[in-house]
Each structure stands twice: as C-alpha cells, then as structure tokens.
Amino acid sequence: LTQSTEGLDKAVLKNADGTTAEVYLHGGHVTSWVSGSKKEELLFVSEKAIFKPPKAIRGGIPVCFPQFSDFGPLGQHGFARNQLWAVDTLEESLDGATLTLLLRSGQEELQKWPHKFELRMRVQIATNGNLVVQPSVKNIGIEDFTFTFALHTYFAVSDISNVEVTGVQGLEYLESLVTPRRKEKEERSAVDFKGEVDRIYLNTPDELRIVDRGNRTITLKKTGLPDAIVWNPWIEKAKATADLGDEEYHQFVCVEAAVVGDPVTLQPGQTWTAQQVLSVS
Ligand code: BG6
C-alpha cells in the first residue's frame, strides 16, 4: 500500500514481467493496468478526475453497486464507488500479488440502502499479464435483497474513431439515449462511434472485443455478468461533465460488464460471484 499524490491510499500490484495495476481503496477502484508487449496503460483516467471522496474517480473501473444507472431509487450507479473500502486480504506469491478489497454495510451504507452486505473486489494480475477482477456480494442480513451491478470499465483508445466493439450482432439492447429507454435489436456485427452511444446490450456473449484499429485489441471475458453497456459521451455530454475534459471523449470507450436486465436476488447467507478477465493483443 502507498499513498497517491492526492493523499489517498492505493495498492500497486506487479508481476514478474512488468505488468502493473493500481487499485484505490476509495471506491474499490482499479485506476491503472499497464500490460501487453509494449507495457502500455490500457485504462483511461481523466486529466480532470477528482480524487476527493466521496466523488467517484472518472476513469478506470468504477464499481456500480447496488444499482446500475437509474435502475432503482438510489443515486446514479449506487454508492460503492463513493465509499472508502478496506483491505480484506493480500495474497503474495511468486507470480505476483492478489488484493481483495471489502466494502461492508456500515451505518452510512445502511442509511442509503437498508440491507446488510459484504461486497468484495478481488484484483489480480495473472502470469500472462491479464487483469482478473472478481467481484462478489454476500448477504449477511436476515432478509433477501436484490441488486444490479456493473464494472464500469473505461478503456484507453488511440482515438474513438478507430474503435469498434464486437460481439453484439443480433442482440437486444436498451437504447438509453431516449426516455424511457427503448428496446431495439442490433443488426450490425460491431458498434462504432460517430456520436453519443449509450446502450445496454442484454445477454451478450461472454467474450467481447474492443478493437482499436491499427493499435490493439482488448478481449473482455466475463462470467456472471450477462449484460454489457457500451458508452461514449461524445461532444456535448463531455462538455457537460465537469470532471471530464472537453476533448477527452476521443480517448476512451466504456464497455461495462453488468447484470442489469435480470437483477440478482440473494437469500440470507448467499453469495453472488462474477469475473471479468481483460487481455490485450
Ligand atoms: C454509463 C451510463 O454507464 O455511465 C451513462 O450508461 C452515464 O448514461 C455514464 O452517462 C456515466 O455516468 P456517471 O454517473 O459516472 O457520470
């Protein structure tokens, strides 16, 4: 554990081949993953990101829990990304370190959402440089609860005009640019970006690709997270977002592994687990 330049606690994970990842205790938030043959930064964090709790960090992998977006009575994307998490376990081996962060329902959380839970984020760099993130939620109360969840990953790209997200052909999606959201069917084999895109693809394949033409391809493999949001704010929304530079929409795409369409219900004592593996080629 070290302190960031902003004075927040963060952990730096490293493996033998020079792959690194950084995780902030604030938000249980992964902010950096440097990997691949070129050891490049593969996650985007805004130059205007505000590292001041309870503000969520703009970029990296915000954790949306217990609510994705406005799918419920809570604030946008729930509150896990706004809270200070604790270190649960740190396992060190020759291959590198695995960090598990924990957010437990305390007084503050219970005021927002009256359900007793433990939310964990296990973050590991695999020997091949992949970034493995395993969220889990345990019901430690005496009544059922229901939640939606997303790993709101911001991928760094050379320019959004070079980007395609593949794996979406034939899927149903919720168009979030209209109110109320409208269900549509994707006819194309890939999503491209010529304006704002904000869609919730339902029951997607477990493997999606973020193709940055002429640069690299990120493969996102997921389990327990059936849906995927694809988002780029484009010009107007970038301007309207205080902690995002006006031109920064060029530099990222969000592909968010999620469970939204069919929320998760946990009985007392039950645990939900999911996984996202990112690889680069
Ligand atoms: C995406 C939503 O998941 O998050 C978008 O689909 C939203 O509608 C975006 O604008 C960013 O949300 P926030 O709360 O981090 O500004």
Side-chain angles (χ1 to χ4, degrees), residues 23-25 28 85-88 99-103 119-121:
V23 193
Y24 277 70
L25 268 58
W85 296 41
V87 174
D88 187 35
L99 175 70
T100 303
L101 295 184
L102 169 65
L103 180 68
L119 166 60
R120 287 185 171 78
M121 275 280 282

Side-chain angles (χ1 to χ4, degrees), residues 8-280:
L8 299 182
D9 285 331
K10 68 174 182 182
V12 182
L13 304 179
K14 291 182 185 155
N15 83 353
D17 80 345
T19 303
T20 63
E22 288 188 8
V23 193
Y24 277 70
L25 268 58
H26 170 48
H29 201 131
V30 179
T31 55
S32 170
W33 171 45
V34 175
S35 187
S37 51
K38 296 188 216 152
K39 294 291 173 288
E40 294 172 296
E41 178 57 70
L42 301 167
L43 300 180
F44 167 87
V45 174
S46 171
E47 280 175 7
K48 290 198 163 177
I50 298 165
F51 291 85
K52 197 168 180 234
K55 180 80 188 156
I57 299 164
R58 176 70 60 193
I61 314 183
V63 177
C64 304
F65 173 86
Q67 175 186 304
F68 173 73
S69 184
D70 57 357
F71 283 74
L74 303 176
Q76 162 93 342
H77 293 326
F79 52 76
R81 64 178 180 163
N82 309 109
Q83 300 299 108
L84 183 64
W85 296 41
V87 174
D88 187 35
T89 56
L90 182 62
E91 306 149 52
E92 292 196 72
S93 72
L94 286 177
D95 303 336
T98 302
L99 175 70
T100 303
L101 295 184
L102 169 65
L103 180 68
R104 195 181 273 128
S105 47
Q107 240 175 17
E108 245 181 75
E109 290 79 9
L110 287 168
Q111 260 174 26
K112 297 177 204 278
W113 196 59
H115 302 290
K116 290 193 171 172
F117 68 87
E118 285 175 354
L119 166 60
R120 287 185 171 78
M121 275 280 282
R122 185 171 189 270
V123 183
Q124 181 193 16
I125 301 172
T127 34
N128 56 9
N130 289 357
L131 181 68
V132 183
V133 174
Q134 293 166 307
S136 66
V137 177
K138 182 172 187 188
N139 182 345
I140 56 167
I142 52 167
E143 283 169 1
D144 296 5
F145 62 69
T146 298
F147 64 89
T148 51
F149 184 94
L151 293 172
H152 193 309
T153 310
Y154 287 72
F155 293 97
V157 298
S158 59
D159 190 281
I160 191 68
S161 60
N162 300 329
V163 175
E164 267 185 5
V165 179
T166 69
V168 295
Q169 194 158 32
L171 299 180
E172 286 193 320
Y173 65 91
L174 300 176
E175 173 57 79
S176 297
L177 295 179
V178 295
T179 317
R181 290 182 177 88
R182 193 170 60 214
K183 205 177 238 188
E184 311 258 7
K185 190 171 176 193
E186 181 60 85
E187 308 292 346
R188 300 170 302 167
S189 62
V191 190
D192 59 5
F193 301 86
K194 299 193 171 85
E196 187 181 358
V197 172
D198 194 356
R199 297 174 168 191
I200 303 167
Y201 286 91
L202 300 169
N203 297 309
T204 79
D206 284 339
E207 200 168 301
L208 300 171
R209 289 205 160 79
I210 297 107
V211 181
D212 185 351
R213 271 188 307 273
N215 193 33
R216 62 180 170 243
T217 295
I218 304 266
T219 302
L220 185 165
K221 273 197 200 174
K222 58 193 177 66
T223 47
L225 298 164
D227 309 319
I229 294 84
V230 178
W231 180 61
N232 181 280
W234 212 251
I235 300 166
E236 294 308 322
K237 191 128 190 212
K239 280 189 185 156
T241 305
D243 57 347
L244 188 63
D246 289 359
E247 296 298 324
E248 283 186 318
Y249 72 93
H250 286 285
Q251 298 172 34
F252 74 89
V253 63
C254 285
V255 180
E256 310 163 31
V259 51
V260 178
D262 189 10
V264 179
T265 297
L266 288 179
Q267 315 285 322
Q270 269 192 327
T271 302
W272 166 86
T273 54
Q275 176 169 278
Q276 167 172 286
V277 180
L278 302 180
S279 56
V280 57

